[in-house]
Amino acid sequence: MSRRRLLYMGVSGFAGALAVAVAKDRLLIYPSQAVYNLKKDFKVVGQSSLKKRAAAKGLIYGAAFGRDFLASDKKLQASTVRECGILVPENELKWDALRPTPDKFDFTRSDWLAAFARTHKMLFRGHTLVWYQQLPQWFKEVVNRQNAEKFLVEHITTVTKRYAGRMHSWDVVNEAIEPDDGQQAGLRQSPWLQFLGADYIELAYRVAAQADPKAMLVYNENALEYSGYKEEVKRTAVLKLLERLKSRGTPIHALGIQSHLVAQEGALNAKKLRSFLSDVASLGLKILITELDVSDQKLPSNPAVRDRIVAGIYEDYLSVVLDEKAVIAVLNWGLSDRHTWLSTFTPRSDGAPVRPLPLDSSFKPKLAWNAIARAFDQAPKR
Ligand code: 9MR
């Protein structure tokens, strides 16, 4: 009999039954995680919302929403108002959403979200001014080496001015590092790098700071969380970028760690993650967890088993990152499983709906909600 099998057999009663279910579903790569989670009750004290639990520790909690989902769903609106202290448009502030033609801006949909946040006394957060994706159709034909700076400056100025004084923070530049692209300093091959060179990053922060001196200016990045070689190289490149920006007096105030976690990715290396966070903090930067979710794409089909594993990952991750006092905010990328980018980007092969977020598709809190609540309750005060 294998050691794994013995491990499973050591768990009794309900937990044992679940462990066997897990084993049958061939979740054999994480036996310790599954068994550990089976013993956890994810108990939460009191009834208060995630935003209140976060606020009690000097933290901000919120989520990303699409205008159409939020506008058409009263139940989602009620959950949002209850749980969230900050709202970020999922797509409405991206270039392709705001720029129907080279000389036009359309703020209808982002304004709706800004008004919703304001009406419900939530903070509002901007995502994102400079990205290599979601550029409008016309971009390729119109933007070139000669006019790229004019487009970049005009875009950042117009968009940040529209919400100036009302924006908690802006993801000024998003996902600028990709060491696999083989460019200088691990920079991603993007139209901005191609047209303007590495200095486009600094320029973007300076323009944003001038147009909205009150907003916290964030550099937002993905794939920083795990401990594989690629992530290690990426963390090093991001740190170097931040160091360089700071040493040149660039107005940058925080790092956004997207945190799209993946249940089958294996354990996080808490030590490496903590030391990265502390290196970022020692540059005088705050840290925001900007797009948190946990993909259950490859987990067993049983939703109860999935929810338990996902919740364990939420609690483990947040308890590590919230140890670092420079972390000031946690945002989920969506709030309820009813609306999540993961249903289309990484659907499950068994066709079952994905369950990556704190609320289920009927807006009921899942164990993931408990896990986040527990992490907030246990976090040191800022
Ligand atoms: O959730 C967003 C999805 O609806 C969009 O189709 C996609 C492309 O614009 O972007 C998704 O959000 C991404 C975010 O802007 C940046 N980090 C990764 C997010 C998930 O892909």
Side-chain angles (χ1 to χ4, degrees):
M1 188 175 291
S2 73
R3 211 172 136 257
R4 271 178 193 149
R5 187 102 190 104
L6 271 173
L7 242 177
Y8 280 125
M9 291 183 72
V11 186
S12 62
F14 173 68
L18 257 183
V20 172
V22 173
K24 271 194 182 154
D25 270 311
R26 296 212 193 87
L27 187 78
L28 295 175
I29 28 176
Y30 311 116
S32 58
Q33 191 179 51
V35 172
Y36 165 70
N37 281 340
L38 293 171
K39 286 195 229 149
K40 273 186 102 154
D41 57 8
F42 293 102
K43 208 166 168 188
V44 166
V45 180
Q47 303 286 314
S48 70
S49 64
L50 293 180
K51 79 172 167 199
K52 285 194 183 141
R53 288 173 200 268
K57 297 301 172 69
L59 285 159
I60 305 167
Y61 173 76
F65 298 92
R67 186 253 172 221
D68 291 353
F69 292 145
L70 195 58
S72 63
D73 197 329
K74 293 280 177 216
K75 282 191 178 161
L76 179 61
Q77 290 182 16
S79 301
T80 304
V81 172
R82 177 186 143 82
E83 302 289 354
C84 297
I86 188 165
L87 180 155
V88 57
E90 185 173 353
N91 290 308
E92 288 72 3
L93 286 167
K94 294 173 181 172
W95 274 67
D96 64 348
L98 290 177
R99 310 289 305 266
T101 62
D103 47 11
K104 252 202 196 148
F105 286 82
D106 179 359
F107 288 103
T108 322
R109 297 154 75 74
S110 50
D111 281 356
W112 188 94
L113 286 163
F116 183 91
R118 191 175 208 162
T119 305
H120 298 289
K121 301 192 168 51
M122 297 159 76
L123 299 170
F124 192 51
R125 182 172 147 64
H127 171 85
T128 174
L129 297 165
V130 187
W131 195 21
Y132 72 102
Q133 276 189 36
Q134 299 302 112
L135 294 166
Q137 293 270 323
W138 53 260
F139 190 92
K140 254 195 181 143
E141 285 101 68
V142 175
V143 182
N144 53 44
R145 217 174 274 275
Q146 282 70 46
N147 64 16
E149 183 168 330
K150 175 185 94 62
F151 269 101
L152 186 79
V153 171
E154 180 200 41
H155 182 85
I156 296 176
T157 309
T158 310
V159 180
T160 48
K161 277 210 163 136
R162 181 148 191 113
Y163 301 105
R166 296 190 278 147
M167 212 35 121
H168 167 269
S169 50
W170 263 113
D171 288 339
V172 177
V173 177
N174 191 41
E175 301 170 10
I177 296 286
E178 180 43 270
D180 280 358
D181 284 0
Q183 303 296 307
Q184 50 169 313
L187 288 173
R188 183 185 289 280
Q189 180 58 284
S190 78
W192 302 115
L193 182 67
Q194 189 192 338
F195 295 148
L196 300 173
D199 288 345
Y200 83 87
I201 300 178
E202 188 174 336
L203 174 69
Y205 285 90
R206 293 200 183 280
V207 174
Q210 208 170 16
D212 184 357
K214 290 215 171 117
M216 176 184 289
L217 303 184
V218 182
Y219 172 69
N220 196 46
E221 188 55 270
N222 65 14
L224 295 173
E225 304 79 15
Y226 287 101
S227 55
Y229 175 72
K230 268 181 95 146
E231 287 87 351
E232 190 78 55
V233 171
K234 191 161 193 178
R235 281 195 293 269
T236 305
V238 166
L239 259 182
K240 287 219 171 102
L241 170 67
L242 297 174
E243 271 164 21
R244 185 175 137 79
L245 291 171
K246 284 297 285 184
S247 73
R248 294 175 55 87
T250 315
I252 177 169
H253 312 119
L255 171 68
I257 301 182
Q258 293 188 7
S259 312
H260 292 291
L261 306 182
V262 180
Q264 69 270 21
E265 201 75 25
L268 289 149
N269 185 323
K271 204 171 153 212
K272 282 190 180 168
L273 191 53
R274 277 203 185 93
S275 101
F276 174 67
L277 298 174
S278 115
D279 287 347
V280 173
S282 68
L283 292 173
L285 295 169
K286 298 292 183 198
I287 299 166
L288 291 82
I289 304 301
T290 48
E291 306 184 12
L292 180 61
D293 51 21
V294 180
S295 168
D296 63 340
Q297 184 192 30
K298 302 255 168 75
L299 290 183
S301 53
N302 183 332
V305 173
R306 277 194 267 153
D307 285 359
R308 199 155 265 286
I309 295 170
V310 165
I313 293 169
Y314 266 110
E315 192 168 338
D316 288 351
Y317 181 69
L318 285 177
S319 64
V320 173
V321 296
L322 293 177
D323 257 2
E324 171 55 66
K325 289 201 180 172
V327 175
I328 55 156
V330 175
L331 287 100
N332 273 116
W333 205 241
L335 183 63
S336 141
D337 293 338
R338 183 176 287 238
H339 308 293
T340 159
W341 71 290
L342 292 168
S343 355
T344 40
F345 277 68
T346 54
R348 292 175 53 85
S349 59
D350 62 7
V354 294
R355 301 174 67 84
L357 290 167
L359 306 184
D360 72 10
S361 56
S362 331
F363 309 104
K364 280 201 215 72
K366 300 187 305 180
L367 287 186
W369 186 98
N370 291 40
I372 300 170
R374 285 163 58 89
F376 288 158
D377 292 351
Q378 280 150 29
K381 227 177 167 166
R382 273 64 193 143

